[in-house]
């Protein structure tokens, strides 16, 4: 067997970082050789996550591109927005494969990023090399990429629900509505008032309404690419009092109101026939977030309301796995020539 790929995680102290470390420790073809983070530099990783005693013996190091490149072949950047683009070019020049979990390399057009993230970037040449890291849609591009911008959790759940509808021309794109709910871990590990137990427990509310959420342009970008023309979507995210999971419910008007649920289930199954992480459920079976918790799976159900002529698609994922770290490892597998499912959990814990 060939030597294992040396892997580094920058931003290892956050929720995305710990998910990556957990997955990579179990990966048969990967060895974690670097953990980085400026605020936690100098600490042994087990000081932050004591449950990893006897599993990892690495000290968190300062984020310096030269030191990272000397120890790694593949680098995951699990950093806040507006930081990854500053370090990625040096890592790429050193020959590393780079997977970014922030929004820095998700956009085809940097002007969209500048508008929504308020940063005046000029790294157009590097950004143009990035591939959007949703394997079910861009698998072949990811295989040959050196820089991948991994999608957000809301876009992942929503786009996998939408893709067959737009690609096959089954809906009127202007009627797309996305109603999505996420657990609190989607907000990261930093203390934020809405994520406090006293605030979130026993409550349920929307945020980022009317196109104010930063995932809106990311979703619209891929929808437009699938449809071959500009698509705007109505996207409303909600916070629910649970730790993990996203349920995205998509509504749209069908071009052919004569289609029934069984027809669309067949279309979806064919569309995702080569996608091991997408499970298309039988008509009448609707996914729950608990089914996906702890796994890299996406459970999808499609239903037709003949009364209104609309299609309703439900998509459930673990926001920290298929919506973040698991998907990033899935992309690494493709980039490194491994089996797409390598090192990833196919079944979660239930109940």
């Amino acid at each position: 067997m060939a030597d294992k790929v040396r892997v580094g995680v920058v931003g290892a102290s956050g929720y995305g970082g710990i998910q990556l470390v957990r997955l990579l420790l179990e990966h048969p073809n990967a060895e974690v050789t670097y953990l980085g983070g400026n605020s936690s530099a100098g600490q042994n990783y087990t000081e932050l996550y004591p449950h990893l005693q006897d599993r990892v013996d690495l000290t968190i190091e300062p984020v310096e591109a030269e030191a990272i490149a000397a120890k790694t072949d593949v680098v995951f950047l699990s950093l806040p927005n507006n930081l990854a683009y500053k370090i990625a070019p040096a890592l790429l020049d050193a020959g590393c494969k780079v997977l970014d979990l922030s929004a820095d390399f998700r956009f085809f057009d940097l002007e969209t990023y500048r508008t929504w993230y308020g940063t005046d970037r000029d790294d157009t040449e590097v950004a143009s090399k990035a591939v959007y890291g949703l394997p079910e849609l861009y698998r072949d591009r990811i295989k040959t990429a050196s820089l991948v911008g991994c999608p957000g959790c809301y876009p992942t759940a929503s786009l996998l629900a939408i893709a067959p509808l737009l690609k096959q021309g089954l809906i009127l794109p202007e009627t797309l509505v996305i109603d999505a709910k996420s657990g609190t871990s989607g907000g990261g590990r930093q203390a934020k008032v809405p994520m406090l137990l006293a605030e979130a427990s026993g409550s349920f509310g929307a945020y980022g309404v009317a196109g104010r959420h930063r995932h809106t342009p990311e979703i619209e970008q891929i929808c437009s690419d699938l449809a071959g023309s500009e698509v705007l979507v109505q996207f409303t995210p909600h916070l629910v009092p649970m730790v993990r999971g996203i349920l995205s419910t998509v509504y749209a008007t069908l071009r052919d109101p004569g289609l029934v649920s069984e027809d669309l289930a067949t279309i979806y199954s064919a569309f995702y026939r080569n996608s091991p992480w997408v499970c298309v459920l039988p008509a009448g079976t609707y996914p729950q977030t608990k089914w996906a918790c702890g796994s890299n799976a996406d459970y999808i159900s499609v239903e037709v309301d003949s009364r209104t002529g609309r299609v309703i698609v439900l998509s459930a994922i673990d926001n920290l796995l298929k919506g973040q770290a698991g998907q990033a490892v899935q992309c690494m597998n493709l980039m490194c020539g491994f089996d797409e499912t390598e090192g990833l959990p196919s079944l979660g814990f239930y109940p």
Side-chain angles (χ1 to χ4, degrees):
M1 183 186 226
D3 292 338
K4 292 185 177 183
V5 172
R6 301 175 303 156
V7 181
V9 178
V10 181
S13 62
Y15 286 151
I18 181 58
Q19 302 301 315
L20 283 167
V21 171
R22 179 177 72 89
L23 294 173
L24 293 167
L25 287 174
E26 300 288 335
H27 198 293
N29 296 315
E31 179 184 3
V32 180
T33 55
Y34 169 91
L35 297 176
N38 286 331
S39 63
S40 51
Q43 292 182 273
N44 189 283
Y45 197 57
T46 56
E47 292 181 54
L48 297 178
Y49 294 106
H51 68 285
L52 292 179
Q53 297 287 337
D54 302 324
R55 296 302 309 276
V56 58
D57 186 20
L58 288 172
T59 298
I60 301 175
E61 302 181 41
V63 181
E64 298 172 352
E66 186 176 344
I68 298 170
K71 296 183 177 182
T72 64
D73 306 303
V74 177
V75 184
F76 292 91
L77 301 178
S78 184
L79 295 166
N81 301 320
N82 297 326
L83 292 178
Y85 80 89
K86 298 176 183 178
I87 188 174
L91 295 172
L92 293 167
D93 287 344
C96 296
K97 297 181 186 296
V98 177
L99 298 104
D100 176 32
L101 277 67
S102 78
D104 286 18
F105 294 107
R106 292 175 185 166
F107 292 94
F108 303 157
D109 180 6
L110 264 189
E111 187 55 40
T112 304
Y113 182 90
R114 295 188 190 103
T115 299
W116 285 81
Y117 289 85
T119 299
D120 188 18
R121 293 169 54 180
D122 58 1
D123 58 322
T124 304
E125 183 178 352
V126 174
S128 67
K129 299 175 182 177
V131 172
Y132 192 72
L134 191 53
E136 290 74 15
L137 301 183
Y138 300 107
R139 182 176 286 106
D140 291 342
R141 298 185 200 177
I142 295 169
K143 286 179 179 179
T144 60
S146 57
L147 174 61
V148 168
C150 299
C153 47
Y154 278 127
T156 294
S158 302
L159 290 168
L160 291 176
I162 292 168
L165 301 175
L166 288 175
K167 196 69 174 176
Q168 306 291 351
L170 298 172
I171 60 169
L172 301 176
E174 65 272 17
T175 66
L176 267 173
V177 175
I178 304 169
D179 185 288
K181 287 90 174 172
S182 173
T184 59
S185 62
R189 201 182 189 203
Q190 292 181 340
K192 300 173 185 175
V193 171
M195 309 300 171
L196 297 174
L197 178 64
E199 300 286 337
S201 181
S203 186
F204 172 43
Y207 63 102
V209 180
R212 294 183 178 88
H213 196 284
R214 286 176 169 178
H215 281 156
T216 301
E218 183 182 339
I219 295 170
E220 291 178 342
Q221 167 188 256
I222 305 303
C223 284
S224 299
D225 188 43
L226 291 167
S229 59
E230 184 179 7
V231 176
L232 299 180
V233 301
Q234 197 73 62
F235 169 58
T236 305
H238 302 74
L239 185 70
V240 295
M242 63 183 184
V243 175
R244 304 173 79 116
I246 280 183
L247 178 66
S248 183
T249 305
V250 173
Y251 305 88
T253 299
L254 288 165
R255 291 187 187 275
D256 179 2
L259 289 171
V260 297
S261 301
E262 288 77 10
D263 296 330
L264 287 173
T266 299
I267 291 170
Y268 269 68
S269 295
F271 188 89
Y272 289 119
R273 63 186 178 278
N274 295 318
S275 299
W277 294 115
V278 178
C279 176
V280 180
L281 299 166
T285 300
Y286 309 129
Q288 300 178 22
T289 56
K290 187 176 286 290
W291 299 356
C293 184
S295 83
N296 198 55
D298 179 15
Y299 292 92
I300 291 179
S301 176
V302 58
E303 186 73 81
V304 172
D305 186 341
S306 58
R307 191 177 58 86
T308 62
R310 293 193 185 97
V311 59
I312 304 164
V313 189
L314 301 102
S315 174
I317 64 171
D318 184 323
N319 59 294
L320 294 177
L321 289 180
K322 182 57 178 165
Q324 191 176 29
Q327 182 145 265
V329 172
Q330 186 181 349
C331 288
M332 180 196 78
N333 285 338
L334 292 169
M335 295 167 77
C336 294
F338 306 142
D339 186 280
E340 191 172 328
T341 63
E342 201 75 82
L344 290 168
S346 59
L347 291 175
F349 294 102
Y350 190 91

